[in-house]
Every structure is written in structure tokens, then in C-alpha cells.
């Protein structure tokens, strides 16, 4: 048996000198040292020997396998280094080569403007009406009737509003103001919400007007809400959004759903008030309509106008973005010209 062991060891070392790669070494290890390897076969027969032989042969077997194990390890390290060096040489990376350009997506300026405006109102205590509570496809009830818009109001005309073929009274909403009704239905004040979204109008398209645009509606109903609160909130919004140096003006106006009503203009950034194509020569761009919620609107949703008052506003996202980034044509937001979009 001793001889047998020495023979196996001799064969193994011979195999090892012929080995030229890590996989050769793995093969040798399997052949001699695995559970089914040649040494194990011998160790299995040890049990038939006398105690004395068992001790001698056993320790010899251990010694030899240990020696082989070490030799394999050494060779393994040697080959590993060699193979690694080879790889490093052949797979060398030229770090001076120019990289591959991966175009990164960017947030559309209308999205970032909406997010920015939303964050400002959130910081002022307003929460956002969930999207499903302010649908783009709306019934005339929410878009007009509940908002106190008379049946014969010109805004209802097909020349202004897109009617769908779903049903006679279903429109693409022409304003986000319907979200006010959704927000108040079944709720008790205080209600303090904003609702951003797309609106549609059958407009003649020009630098200031598109037939799809975006608004952010706002509503605050509680006891003792005054026009002073409305002005305070909107002035604070404008100060945060534009900084304090931008000239703005409050102008009295009319909307069926507010009384009194006002509009806010911001000085045109393109001409600094001198008058240009973007502001159609006036020096100002209207950015929002607002007012005290008309008592009729509160009554429609079951809120007592003798107990509660409120203010509402609706602002144009495109206009606000144009005035911040000096964009002179609303159509730029919609034709997806990369040269425009890349600047944001
Ligand atoms: N919905 C109006 C528009 O699209 C803007 C507006 C005016 C909204 C007054 C309001 C408001 O909430 O109170 O022109």
C-alpha cells in the first residue's frame, strides 16, 4: 500500500508538471483528491489493516495528500497570476478614448414649472387634489353649470369649447375650475387645495395662445376668508416664484364663479413693458384670474355662504413659465424641438 501511495503521488506530480492552466489543476485535484479520487480509494481500504499499519499508512497518506494539496495550491496561484496578466495585456482599456454619449432624459419645462408652483402652494398650506378628482373629460355641469356660468355664456359656444361625441353634455374641460366643485362636494370647510391639469380651448393659435394648455386651480374656503387673504397668498406666491423685483398688477375683472373678481398681470419679460409680439404690445401678460367664491357656487355644493367665504384662482402654467424663462412663444412648449427642450 505504501508503494501504491508513492506511485499515485509520483503520477500526480508528473501530471502537475505537465499542467498548463487552472482548469488542468482542477482536473488533477478531481482525479487524485476528490471523494472519488485515487487517494480516497486507498484510504477506504485502511480499515482492513492492522492497527499498527493503519497508523503508519494513514499518516503517510495524510502527509502525501497534504504535500500534493500544497503543490496544487502553489501552481494554482502561479497560473492565476499568469492568466490574469495575460488578460490585462490583451483586454487593455484605452482610457484616453472619448466616451460614448448617452443622452439623458430631462423634465419638460411645463412639468418642472408645475412642480415648482405646486411646491410653493404646498409650503403655504395647500394640498393637491388627486388626479382622479379633476378629470380632463368633464360634464358641462362641472365645467360650467355648477360654476354659475349662465346657459347663454359665450364660453360655452363650440367656437370656444370642445364638445365630445361621448354625450351632448361632455366636454374637454376649458378650465380647471371644475376641480373646485369636485374638491368641495361632500366636504366641510376648511378646504385649502390646488389642482394642476390640462385644459382645452378652441382658440386661434398664436404666440400667447394654444388650444391645449395647463392651469393650476386654487381654492380656500373657511370662516372669515377675505379678499385680503387672496391678495396676500397670491402676492406671496409671485414673490417666491419670480423674486420680489418683477412688476405685477391686480386688475379688477369678471368671472361668473367669483364676486368680486380680479386678474393678475406680470410685466412682459421679453420687452420689459415696452410692448412686443408676445404681450401683443401691452407690456403685460395676464397670468391668472381670481376672486371671492360666488355664494351661488358655495350653495351648489351645500356649503352655507352665510357661514363660510372663500377665494379661488386659476393660473396659466405656460404663461408663468414664459415669464420666468423669457420664452417668447407658447408653441415652443408643444412642438418638442430638442434645441428648445435641451435648454432646461
Ligand atoms: N377659470 C378661469 C379661466 O380659465 C380662471 C379663474 C378665474 C379661475 C377666477 C378661478 C377664479 O378660480 O376664481 O380663465
Amino acid at each position: 500500500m505504501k508503494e501504491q501511495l508513492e506511485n499515485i503521488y509520483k503520477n500526480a506530480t508528473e501530471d502537475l508538471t505537465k499542467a498548463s492552466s487552472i482548469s488542468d489543476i482542477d482536473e488533477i485535484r478531481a482525479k487524485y483528491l476528490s471523494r472519488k479520487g485515487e487517494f480516497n480509494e486507498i484510504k477506504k481500504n485502511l480499515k482492513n489493516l492492522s492497527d499498527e499499519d493503519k497508523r503508519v499508512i494513514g499518516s503517510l497518506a495524510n502527509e502525501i495528500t497534504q504535500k500534493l494539496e500544497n503543490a496544487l495550491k502553489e501552481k494554482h496561484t502561479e497560473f492565476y497570476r499568469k492568466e490574469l496578466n495575460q488578460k490585462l495585456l490583451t483586454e487593455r482599456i484605452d482610457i484616453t478614448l472619448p466616451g460614448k454619449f448617452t443622452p439623458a432624459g430631462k423634465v419638460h419645462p411645463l412639468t418642472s414649472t408645475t412642480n415648482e408652483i405646486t411646491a410653493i402652494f404646498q409650503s403655504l398650506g395647500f394640498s393637491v387634489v388627486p388626479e382622479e378628482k379633476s378629470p380632463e373629460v368633464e360634464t358641462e355641469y362641472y365645467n360650467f353649470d355648477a360654476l354659475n356660468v349662465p346657459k347663454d355664456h359665450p364660453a360655452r359656444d363650440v367656437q370656444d369649447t370642445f364638445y365630445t361625441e361621448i354625450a351632448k353634455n361632455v366636454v374637454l374641460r376649458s378650465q380647471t375650475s371644475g376641480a373646485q366643485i369636485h374638491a368641495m362636494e361632500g366636504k366641510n370647510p376648511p378646504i385649502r387645495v390646488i389642482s394642476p391639469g390640462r385644459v382645452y380651448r378652441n382658440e386661434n393659435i398664436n404666440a400667447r395662445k394654444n388650444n391645449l394648455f395647463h392651469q393650476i386651480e386654487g381654492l380656500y374656503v373657511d370662516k372669515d376668508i377675505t379678499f385680503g387673504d387672496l391678495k396676500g397668498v397670491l402676492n406671496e406666491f409671485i414673490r417666491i416664484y419670480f423674486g420680489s423685483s418683477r412688476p405685477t398688477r391686480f386688475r379688477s375683472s369678471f368671472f361668473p364663479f367669483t364676486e368680486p373678481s380680479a386678474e393678475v398681470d406680470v410685466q412682459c419679460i421679453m420687452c420689459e413693458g415696452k410692448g412686443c409680439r408676445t404681450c401683443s404690445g401691452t407690456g403685460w401678460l395676464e397670468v391668472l384670474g381670481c376672486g371671492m367664491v360666488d355664494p351661488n357656487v358655495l350653495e351648489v355644493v351645500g356649503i352655507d355662504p352665510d357661514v363660510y367665504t372663500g377665494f379661488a384662482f386659476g393660473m396659466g402654467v405656460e404663461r408663468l413659465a414664459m415669464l420666468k424663462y423669457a420664452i417668447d412663444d407658447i408653441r415652443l412648449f408643444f412642438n418638442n424641438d430638442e434645441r428648445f427642450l435641451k435648454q432646461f
Side-chain angles (χ1 to χ4, degrees):
M1 259 178 136
K2 196 177 156 215
E3 228 167 79
Q4 231 178 327
L5 277 172
E6 275 161 358
N7 266 337
I8 297 173
Y9 180 66
K10 212 177 108 221
N11 293 342
T13 38
E14 253 166 41
D15 283 354
L16 197 53
T17 50
K18 285 187 224 142
S20 64
S21 70
I22 289 183
S23 65
D24 288 350
I25 291 183
D26 291 340
E27 253 171 53
I28 295 169
R29 180 174 283 116
K31 183 170 169 196
Y32 296 100
L33 294 176
S34 69
R35 242 156 37 88
K36 288 194 176 150
E38 296 191 12
F39 281 114
N40 234 17
E41 289 305 316
I42 293 202
K43 283 183 188 168
K44 274 187 212 158
N45 295 330
L46 282 179
K47 59 178 182 295
N48 306 326
L49 300 180
S50 68
D51 280 357
E52 174 62 11
D53 285 350
K54 236 186 245 173
R55 207 177 48 74
V56 176
I57 301 290
S59 80
L60 182 66
N62 282 343
E63 193 186 311
I64 287 177
T65 48
Q66 192 57 50
K67 263 199 327 205
L68 184 59
E69 191 68 68
N70 289 343
L72 284 171
K73 242 187 222 156
E74 211 172 281
K75 271 277 181 217
H76 186 278
T77 317
E78 185 190 320
F79 286 143
Y80 175 76
R81 291 226 175 94
K82 236 197 214 153
E83 286 176 21
L84 185 63
N85 278 334
Q86 192 61 31
K87 250 191 184 164
L88 287 174
L89 277 177
T90 53
E91 296 174 11
R92 181 183 265 167
I93 294 166
D94 183 353
I95 55 166
T96 65
L97 280 174
K100 279 197 193 110
F101 176 68
T102 323
K106 290 188 181 175
V107 176
H108 192 280
L110 287 180
T111 306
S112 58
T113 302
T114 303
N115 292 345
E116 189 183 349
I117 297 170
T118 301
I120 294 173
F121 281 104
Q122 282 174 326
S123 78
L124 296 173
F126 288 74
S127 53
V128 180
V129 174
E131 241 173 84
E132 67 274 14
K133 281 265 164 203
S134 78
E136 281 175 38
V137 181
E138 192 58 287
T139 57
E140 277 188 279
Y141 175 77
Y142 287 100
N143 198 64
F144 296 125
D145 302 341
L147 290 164
N148 201 37
V149 179
K151 285 282 181 213
D152 59 355
H153 194 282
R156 294 189 186 237
D157 203 284
V158 286
Q159 262 125 43
D160 279 313
T161 299
F162 290 114
Y163 284 78
T164 69
E165 286 170 3
I166 300 168
K168 231 177 75 209
N169 65 337
V170 178
V171 300
L172 296 185
R173 68 174 168 194
S174 61
Q175 51 184 356
T176 45
S177 299
Q180 291 183 33
I181 306 300
H182 288 290
M184 288 189 286
E185 271 175 342
K187 297 243 173 57
N188 293 319
I191 296 165
R192 186 162 42 175
V193 293
I194 57 164
S195 177
R198 266 191 289 261
V199 301
Y200 304 83
R201 281 187 203 170
N202 199 355
E203 300 270 18
N204 287 325
I205 296 170
N206 61 33
R208 275 166 302 132
K209 287 182 174 170
N210 194 45
N211 49 22
L212 154 73
F213 60 103
H214 297 74
Q215 288 187 329
I216 296 179
E217 193 73 18
L219 175 72
Y220 189 3
V221 181
D222 201 354
K223 285 178 180 151
D224 303 323
I225 300 292
T226 67
F227 198 84
D229 295 316
L230 167 62
K231 265 193 108 166
V233 165
L234 290 180
N235 279 336
E236 186 62 5
F237 161 72
I238 287 165
R239 192 188 62 78
I240 300 172
Y241 181 76
F242 285 115
S244 50
S245 58
R246 191 68 68 84
T248 54
R249 65 181 188 190
F250 255 83
R251 223 175 355 93
S252 85
S253 184
F254 174 80
F255 297 99
F257 32 93
T258 43
E259 181 58 36
S261 306
E263 282 177 310
V264 172
D265 298 335
V266 176
Q267 192 181 71
C268 180
I269 188 179
M270 264 58 75
C271 61
E272 287 181 341
K274 292 185 197 76
C276 65
R277 178 183 76 117
T278 310
C279 60
S280 71
T282 63
W284 299 91
L285 269 177
E286 180 214 320
V287 294
L288 65 88
C290 61
M292 300 305 291
V293 180
D294 194 289
N296 290 343
V297 176
L298 294 176
E299 267 171 6
V300 161
V301 291
I303 293 176
D304 185 349
D306 290 331
V307 180
Y308 295 104
T309 52
F311 68 71
F313 56 85
M315 49 184 65
V317 179
E318 284 79 0
R319 295 278 179 91
L320 286 162
M322 288 166 80
L323 283 164
K324 184 150 183 171
Y325 302 111
I327 297 162
D328 63 2
D329 196 315
I330 194 170
R331 290 166 287 197
L332 287 165
F333 292 114
F334 301 101
N335 46 23
N336 285 332
D337 186 331
E338 265 193 36
R339 290 167 301 179
F340 170 73
L341 294 174
K342 265 187 188 155
Q343 298 175 47
F344 296 91

